[in-house]
Amino acid sequence: MELRVATFNIRNSSADDGNDSWPLRREATVAAVAALDAEVVGLQEVLPDQLAYLREALPAYDVVGAGRDDGDATGEHASVLVRRDAWRIESHETRWLSLEPERPGSVGWDAHLTRIATLARLRRRESGRAVGIANTHYDHAGETARIESSRLLGRWLAAEPGLPWIILGDLNATPESEPLRALTSEGWRQTLPADAGGTEHAFSGAEDGDRIDHILIGKGLTCRGARIACERFEGRLPSDHWPVVADLVLT
């Protein structure tokens, strides 16, 4: 069974981005998500106003995930978008990347900010096959926090071995870094080829920046192909990151 997934840091709407601010590029962001034609999309840095806009502009998707500040609506979300004609959401929850993963707003290790992961368990409407999605955004400053977040996430997913899991996210870490090695050493596989290019470009449009956005797959999944989608829409950059998209097969 085939499945297309994507991850995309859409850049929060509170940032002072001038000509690239959210009100000026939000249509391009929606166009970028739609162009991925993915059944599941993990988004990062989604603030409540952005979430409301995306829900209205992308009616084919159900959206899950809580705000990181209070476990409800406040703060950035690591939203999971699921195309409802293909998948049914059986359960989902938000957990905090910290030593207190059930406590909203908790900050882990040397992280500068509260960080979260949204876990969603999906079932294919047509075949009944199931898959798990973990969408996350690691801290930008705390190296220990990034490593420990990988270990924590790995433990959570290992506790549900009956599901083939997919990790989506902005890990603020490059492919050969220790946070990624903490996952790949446990059997997680990266989907992008080594020469795929970069994902972070700070609204420059560069394609050779750091690759910090990733899709990783576990047991029960293979990758037919993955790419970084470096596309503008009506001259607009949709974010300060490029999205990553992968075509997977449940074996």
Side-chain angles (χ1 to χ4, degrees):
M1 189 189 73
E2 297 181 357
L3 166 65
R4 175 173 286 184
V5 300
T7 183
F8 189 18
N9 182 326
I10 67 168
R11 178 67 165 173
N12 68 79
S13 57
S14 66
D16 183 11
D17 290 325
N19 195 47
D20 293 304
S21 63
W22 172 250
L24 299 177
R25 63 178 170 84
R26 63 182 189 175
E27 292 182 6
T29 305
V30 167
V33 173
L36 297 171
D37 194 27
E39 296 170 35
V40 180
V41 184
L43 301 180
Q44 301 87 39
E45 291 200 25
V46 185
L47 286 176
D49 64 305
Q50 294 173 295
L51 183 59
Y53 181 81
L54 293 165
R55 285 183 185 275
E56 183 175 350
L58 296 165
Y61 289 91
D62 290 322
V63 185
V64 297
R68 70 185 186 186
D69 293 353
D70 61 359
D72 186 16
T74 306
E76 291 184 9
H77 294 58
S79 301
V80 177
L81 280 60
V82 181
R83 209 169 68 199
R84 71 172 62 88
D85 65 338
W87 295 89
R88 181 174 68 252
I89 301 169
E90 295 209 314
S91 68
H92 66 90
E93 74 267 4
T94 295
R95 298 181 187 178
W96 280 258
L97 299 176
S98 76
L99 295 172
E100 300 177 279
E102 306 301 325
R103 183 168 71 84
S106 58
V107 178
W109 306 283
D110 59 347
H112 284 205
L113 298 171
T114 302
R115 298 295 182 176
I116 56 174
T118 301
L119 308 186
R121 300 157 194 87
L122 314 179
R123 190 166 298 277
R124 187 80 173 187
R125 293 189 182 276
E126 185 176 284
S127 67
R129 297 286 301 276
V131 68
I133 303 293
N135 178 41
T136 190
H137 188 185
Y138 288 3
D139 196 65
H140 65 293
E143 176 66 14
T144 298
R146 289 192 290 271
I147 297 167
E148 293 299 332
S149 292
S150 285
R151 293 171 178 165
L152 184 62
L153 187 62
R155 290 196 297 271
W156 289 342
L157 304 188
E160 299 185 51
L163 275 180
W165 280 95
I166 303 163
I167 297 175
L168 310 173
D170 174 357
L171 306 189
N172 271 308
T174 55
E176 302 303 322
S177 65
E178 193 167 349
L180 268 294
R181 291 199 301 271
L183 292 168
T184 57
S185 65
E186 295 298 322
W188 294 93
R189 288 162 286 139
Q190 301 186 51
T191 54
L192 282 170
D195 61 352
T199 59
E200 184 184 31
H201 59 81
F203 288 116
S204 70
E207 300 179 16
D208 59 354
D210 288 337
R211 188 194 310 166
I212 62 174
D213 303 270
H214 304 275
I215 298 174
L216 296 101
I217 56 176
K219 295 178 181 178
L221 290 152
T222 60
C223 181
R224 295 184 57 190
R227 65 184 178 91
I228 299 170
C230 302
E231 298 172 336
R232 300 173 188 247
F233 296 86
E234 296 188 359
R236 284 277 176 196
L237 290 164
S239 179
D240 61 342
H241 289 232
W242 298 118
V244 179
V245 59
D247 290 308
L248 309 178
V249 178
L250 274 77
T251 57

